[in-house]
Amino acid sequence: MNWLFDDGAQERACELEIIALLLDAGADPFFKTPHGSCFDLLIECSCDDPNCCEKLVTILRHGAVLNEETTTSACETLSADPTSSSRRLLTLIEAVREAGGTWRDYCLQPHKRVLALRSLVAAGRAVPEKHWTPPFLVNLLSPSLPNGVIWTVLQFWRETG
């Protein structure tokens, strides 16, 4: 046991800070070395790391793009590993890829659903039921509400969410 860290939580927090510092300094998470990329190493270490999803989110927030080329071998490795952290990481990777490959695309998915629902309400193809739909959502979906207000609400949700 390392005398500097009384438990693994502090050590994992330091790992996240180091990853963020390296990426802030311009490190490429997909830079290939003879041992693989930073992303490949993250996948290999995910078996027993409860912070693997947070590390992936840190890499994604710094502009990494997940696509077929960068994640095919990772998904195969994670599919073969039955641990819960590997399953969570695989689920996150697949969700980000389906959303468009970037963290921004993934975070904007709920906003896109609200805008799509609002368009359906405006076209008369969907009607929010007063008994089941919360009043704030009925007002938010109202076609009479200006688009600028909708964008402000969605931006607030994104920043605080």
Side-chain angles (χ1 to χ4, degrees):
M1 180 170 162
N2 189 339
W3 64 273
L4 290 174
F5 303 107
D6 55 357
D7 64 358
Q10 290 177 334
E11 189 172 347
R12 287 189 294 273
C14 288
E15 289 173 355
L16 283 171
E17 287 180 33
I18 290 170
I19 290 171
L21 285 171
L22 288 170
L23 293 169
D24 285 340
D28 179 7
F30 294 104
F31 179 76
K32 294 288 184 188
T33 68
H35 305 289
S37 66
C38 176
F39 181 74
D40 295 333
L41 293 174
L42 169 69
I43 300 305
E44 287 177 22
C45 299
S46 70
C47 301
D48 56 351
D49 186 2
N51 259 14
C52 60
C53 288
E54 288 82 0
K55 290 176 184 176
L56 178 60
V57 168
T58 301
I59 291 171
L60 288 169
R61 283 186 175 152
H62 283 82
V65 177
L66 300 183
N67 55 31
E68 290 287 327
E69 180 184 332
T70 58
T71 60
T72 301
S73 65
C75 288
E76 291 170 0
T77 303
L78 291 171
S79 296
D81 187 12
T83 61
S84 64
S85 59
S86 294
R87 283 187 305 227
R88 284 190 338 222
L89 190 60
L90 180 61
T91 302
L92 179 60
I93 289 171
E94 289 173 348
V96 171
R97 276 178 39 182
E98 286 176 16
T102 66
W103 184 247
R104 184 175 189 275
D105 291 341
Y106 176 73
C107 290
L108 289 177
Q109 284 294 86
H111 299 65
K112 290 178 182 178
R113 288 189 199 115
V114 169
L115 293 173
L117 183 56
R118 186 166 186 266
S119 296
L120 290 172
V121 169
R125 295 178 53 203
V127 179
E129 293 198 24
K130 303 271 186 208
H131 328 325
W132 301 100
T133 311
F136 80 91
L137 194 53
V138 172
N139 293 333
L140 187 65
L141 297 175
S142 170
S144 63
L145 193 64
N147 286 336
V149 173
I150 298 293
W151 285 110
T152 303
V153 169
L154 292 177
Q155 182 179 7
F156 174 76
W157 284 353
R158 186 179 74 219
E159 291 171 1
T160 59

